[in-house]
Amino acid sequence: MTRLTVALRDTAARVDAATPAHRDRAVDALRAFAVLGVVLGHWLVTALVADGRSLRAASPLQHMPWLAPVSWAFQTLAVFFLVGGHVATRSYASARKRGTPYRRWLHARLARLFGPVVAVLTLWTVVTLALLLSDAEYGTVRTLVRLALSPMWFLLVFAVLTAVTPLVARLHPLWPLAVVLHVDVLRFGLGAPDGLGWLNLAAGWLVPYTLGAAWTRGELDGRRSGWVLLGSGTAATAALVAWAGYPAAMVGVPGAEVSNLNPPTLAAVTFGLAQCGLALLLRDRLRHAMRGPVAWAAVALVNLSAMTVFLWHQTALMATTAALLPAGPLPGLHTVPDGLGWVAARLPWLIAFVLALVVCGAAFRTWERGGGGRRLRPSKVVRAHHPVTGRAPHV
């Protein structure tokens, strides 16, 4: 056994020993799964195709729609909101018991969300100006900026739901689900303007968020609720795709007439219900798996840098693509994603994306705690969920 292996095992053991016995490790495992699902999903379905000096966005799902089931594994946003609703409602309840004012509680949680955003916006403002001054093609600049800033919509929605947590803590998930249903009936059945669909941006993600609140109240403790959500969500999604004309892909596809995500459709929400049901069913197994020091340390590490990973993963992809453009076009990186050959060529590039993300993480890690220069010690992430300062990332 090498010294490095011994050091890693010792570190994992210390992290495990520092974790309070009452901490629900399944919550952290689900959050880590959601973060990694989004990152890997974007890296697999987002292609930047080189066309001379320009780059344009493309997706393998445009050319190979039969790969749509792949998006089912990596579109994990509903799990984000399920965990977020659970942690936020539990945090707010604890804050009230301690007499912490709502404004102070909200400020602490939003600082966690938006502190790291400053670094992203600053860098991309500089990059955008540099590209425009260097006569880069406008379409390329627009593509890069849109991809870099695409994670921001999630943060805005999450911030709004966090702000209204006291109002929705006891809201039944069927109410926002009914809003999504009626909006889709009006849009797709009665010819209402497509702009009406943006109501679902809040209502759609409010469904898993309120499920998280129900989890906090103890209403989803039994396995029956998980099976009901998984079964009904799966059946409804299958019916909507098979007979109602909804896209099979649960991610946005460039050029598609209808997207299940922009804004969320009823199919995306029912699919999210199925995901939430599966997540609830896996809680006991995750708790058991997280008893292993190595597995728990890995999950703790992902949670420690959740915001950095989430905000910078698209930048890592674009930096790798742009840096190697002079050597291209390279298969799987600059070429059209129109066949399984592209998929096979893409997989090794994931390693390069990870390395680029590590560089971004090393450069901007100190912004993880809200823009300060303080370095977060590894022991911080394994403390009990704290209602105000939140020792683990509550993304």
Side-chain angles (χ1 to χ4, degrees):
M1 188 178 295
T2 65
R3 290 185 178 180
L4 177 61
T5 302
V6 172
L8 290 176
R9 288 185 178 275
D10 287 345
T11 299
R14 287 197 300 272
V15 171
D16 181 66
T19 304
H22 60 273
R23 185 179 182 89
D24 190 349
R25 300 186 183 192
V27 174
D28 299 278
L30 288 172
R31 186 188 296 114
F33 166 76
V35 171
L36 296 180
V38 170
V39 171
L40 289 176
H42 282 163
W43 284 352
L44 289 171
V45 304
T46 303
L48 288 172
V49 179
D51 184 10
R53 294 180 60 230
S54 65
L55 292 170
R56 59 181 177 85
S59 170
L61 297 178
Q62 289 175 281
H63 304 278
M64 296 174 284
W66 48 271
L67 284 178
V70 174
S71 69
W72 306 345
F74 296 106
Q75 205 287 76
T76 52
L77 287 173
V79 179
F80 263 123
F81 286 96
L82 171 72
V83 173
H86 172 56
V87 174
T89 49
R90 185 175 59 183
S91 169
Y92 182 67
S94 298
R96 288 190 64 187
K97 287 181 180 179
R98 294 192 337 273
T100 301
Y102 164 77
R103 181 180 299 178
R104 181 183 167 194
W105 172 83
L106 181 62
H107 178 270
R109 298 195 69 82
L110 294 187
R112 169 67 60 81
L113 283 178
F114 290 110
V117 172
V118 175
V120 179
L121 293 178
T122 300
L123 176 69
W124 275 98
T125 298
V126 174
V127 170
T128 302
L129 291 174
L131 289 173
L132 293 175
L133 292 174
S134 65
D135 293 328
E137 198 225 352
Y138 176 75
T140 297
V141 178
R142 182 181 178 186
T143 296
L144 296 179
V145 172
R146 287 183 63 181
L147 286 177
L149 301 185
S150 58
M152 302 301 178
W153 73 262
F154 160 80
L155 293 181
L156 291 174
V157 175
F158 197 90
V160 170
L161 297 186
T162 299
V164 299
T165 294
L167 300 178
V168 303
R170 294 193 171 275
L171 181 68
H172 197 286
L174 286 178
W175 288 108
L177 180 61
V179 172
V180 175
L181 171 63
H182 284 81
V183 167
D184 274 21
V185 168
L186 291 173
R187 284 180 66 201
F188 303 128
L190 302 177
D194 286 341
L196 184 67
W198 291 105
L199 290 174
N200 287 349
L201 192 60
W205 300 119
L206 189 57
V207 174
Y209 194 86
T210 51
L211 281 173
W215 178 0
T216 300
R217 297 194 299 269
E219 297 173 6
L220 303 179
D221 287 345
R223 293 183 63 81
R224 181 175 177 274
S225 57
W227 283 114
V228 169
L229 286 170
L230 177 59
S232 59
T234 300
T237 304
L240 290 170
V241 171
W243 297 305
Y246 283 84
M250 291 299 155
V251 296
V253 179
E257 184 177 350
V258 177
S259 167
N260 275 321
L261 274 189
N262 300 307
T265 64
L266 181 62
V269 175
T270 57
F271 175 76
L273 291 177
Q275 276 192 325
C276 291
L278 181 60
L280 295 172
L281 290 172
L282 290 176
R283 285 177 297 181
D284 288 340
R285 291 194 177 189
L286 288 173
R287 289 176 186 128
H288 182 268
M290 291 302 106
R291 292 175 186 171
V294 175
W296 170 238
V299 165
L301 178 63
V302 173
N303 278 271
L304 188 67
S305 301
M307 285 296 295
T308 300
V309 171
F310 183 77
L311 287 172
W312 291 99
H313 72 278
Q314 292 285 54
T315 298
L317 180 153
M318 290 182 287
T320 304
T321 304
L324 296 176
L325 192 57
L330 299 174
L333 191 64
H334 305 117
T335 54
V336 178
D338 56 359
L340 289 178
W342 183 92
V343 176
R346 182 66 160 195
L347 294 178
W349 286 114
L350 298 181
I351 299 174
F353 298 158
V354 170
L355 294 176
L357 184 56
V358 169
V359 173
C360 291
F364 300 102
R365 233 337 248 110
T366 54
W367 292 84
E368 179 79 18
R369 296 293 289 178
R374 295 175 297 152
R375 184 176 298 276
L376 184 64
R377 296 190 303 272
S379 61
K380 294 282 189 178
V381 77
V382 297
R383 295 185 183 178
H385 294 291
H386 194 284
V388 176
T389 57
R391 299 304 187 190
H394 299 320
V395 181

